[in-house]
Amino acid sequence: FVPNDCVLNTDSQQEIIITGPNASGKSTFLRQVALITLMAQIGSFVPARAAKIGLVDRIFTRVGAQDDLATGQSTFTVEMNETANILNNATPRSLVILDEVGRGTSTYDGLSIAWAVAEYLHELGPKTLFATHYHHLNELEERLPRVKNYRIAVKEDGDHIIFLRRIIRGGTDRSFGIQVARLAGLPNPVIKRARELLETFSQEKLRGQSVDVAQIPAARVNQGGLFDEPVPENPALEELRALEIHEMTPVQAMIKLEQLQKLALGA
Ligand SMILES: Nc1ncnc2c1ncn2[C@@H]1O[C@H](COP(=O)(O)OP(=O)(O)O)[C@@H](O)[C@H]1O
Ligand SMILES: [Mg+2]
């Protein structure tokens, strides 16, 4: 486990915006701070080399996104109900943990809600950790005096990424979504196609145009573009096709089978 420091105060660092790719360690950091604060409140030792923790009146968390099937609420309504409860009840003495608020709806709706929530909390005053994949929220540091940006350090090695699990100062403007998808094992053709689409989307965005979906090039399934070079056939298959099974004795079949297996294994 990689330990991380956290400083929250009321004058210069009241609200921390944490950006980082999926699976980089944002939620873990939030949980660490929430749990250590809770443990300190009940008078327990805390797993930290040093800790100075003030009294909090409440710890509010908005973490995880699961449909509440039992009561028929969608992910998004659950998320908004919990967020509303936080905004309506938090005080300057509270600790607020927000994990990916706004994720449950479309991109721009979500971003707008996340932004407005972050501004409101800055004004309201509780110590706040806000993990988000909306990099735009990094803008807030420029505009609001007590907002500070942090990110999870990521090491790039060519096209691969390595998560360092360390929280460092500063925002980010990259999400590494496709690299993370590859780490997770999405098939290569899907990764290639996603890259190609991303290219199209970002070019259109650069030119200030909204993306014209009709103009997106079709996947080149049959032109060899999507699947790299054809996978060469295993030579064992050729021999297998040529076999005259009815002409063989059981012993010959056994011997042939052994040869084929060797061939298939590339021996
Ligand atoms: N500080 C850390 N040290 C070691 N491993 C970590 C640390 N933080 C996260 N991880 C690993 O990364 C995984 C994903 O972390 P998580 O916090 O869920 O990422 P995110 O919220 O950014 O998607 C965790 O399940 C854990 O295995
Ligand atoms: Mg998370």
Side-chain angles (χ1 to χ4, degrees):
F1 191 80
V2 181
N4 277 298
D5 294 337
C6 179
V7 176
L8 281 165
N9 56 39
T10 45
D11 47 13
S12 62
Q13 190 155 302
Q14 173 223 322
E15 181 167 17
I16 293 181
I17 308 277
I18 304 156
T19 43
N22 283 314
S24 60
K26 299 183 295 298
S27 302
T28 305
F29 179 68
L30 299 191
R31 270 185 227 120
Q32 167 198 305
V33 175
L35 288 174
I36 286 181
T37 308
L38 180 65
M39 290 168 84
Q41 304 301 309
I42 61 171
S44 161
F45 287 102
V46 297
R49 198 173 298 143
K52 194 174 155 199
I53 301 166
L55 279 176
V56 293
D57 58 4
R58 286 172 82 174
I59 299 174
F60 292 95
T61 62
R62 165 48 241 167
V63 210
Q66 261 165 13
D67 282 353
D68 190 345
L69 293 176
T71 61
Q73 294 194 83
S74 74
T75 311
F76 185 60
T77 28
V78 173
E79 187 183 325
M80 286 302 113
N81 280 336
E82 292 183 14
T83 307
N85 175 47
I86 295 174
L87 299 185
N88 292 326
N89 294 297
T91 77
R93 307 225 48 168
S94 311
L95 174 67
V96 173
I97 304 285
L98 296 177
D99 198 354
E100 308 268 16
V101 164
R103 163 173 258 185
T105 184
S106 70
T107 309
Y108 287 110
D109 283 6
L111 170 60
S112 313
I113 292 170
W115 185 297
V117 166
E119 281 179 345
Y120 189 83
L121 285 166
H122 179 262
E123 201 49 43
L124 195 63
K127 297 194 178 77
T128 303
L129 293 179
F130 195 154
T132 182
H133 62 290
Y134 295 125
H135 313 136
H136 304 71
L137 291 196
N138 287 149
E139 264 296 304
L140 289 171
E141 184 182 270
E142 295 290 315
R143 301 170 179 227
L144 304 173
R146 297 182 302 283
V147 168
K148 293 290 174 288
N149 292 333
Y150 281 78
R151 67 175 189 273
I152 313 268
V154 172
K155 189 164 170 245
E156 265 190 282
D157 180 11
D159 214 22
H160 288 259
I161 51 167
I162 301 161
F163 297 136
L164 301 179
R165 312 287 181 211
R166 260 189 313 104
I167 305 277
I168 55 175
R169 190 71 177 83
T172 178
D173 56 357
R174 305 194 41 196
S175 63
F176 299 103
I178 295 182
Q179 285 92 330
V180 177
R182 176 154 88 181
L183 279 185
L186 242 60
N188 257 333
V190 175
I191 298 292
K192 261 188 98 171
R193 175 66 173 153
R195 260 190 223 298
E196 187 182 294
L197 289 170
L198 179 66
E199 187 83 357
T200 313
F201 287 131
S202 355
Q203 275 170 10
E204 308 243 339
K205 208 173 124 201
L206 274 183
R207 279 188 258 120
Q209 299 166 349
S210 58
V211 175
D212 180 358
V213 184
Q215 297 302 315
I216 293 172
R220 285 162 294 161
V221 177
N222 295 321
Q223 295 173 17
L226 193 54
F227 305 100
D228 304 80
E229 57 275 15
V231 182
E233 193 181 84
N234 192 297
L237 285 177
E238 187 57 49
E239 277 204 32
L240 197 57
R241 279 192 211 101
L243 278 189
E244 301 279 359
I245 297 174
H246 299 293
E247 316 272 288
M248 297 167 85
T249 66
V251 176
Q252 282 171 334
M254 284 297 286
I255 294 170
K256 196 70 199 168
L257 194 59
E258 200 189 345
Q259 285 174 359
L260 281 173
Q261 188 182 46
K262 277 200 185 125
L263 201 57
L265 293 171

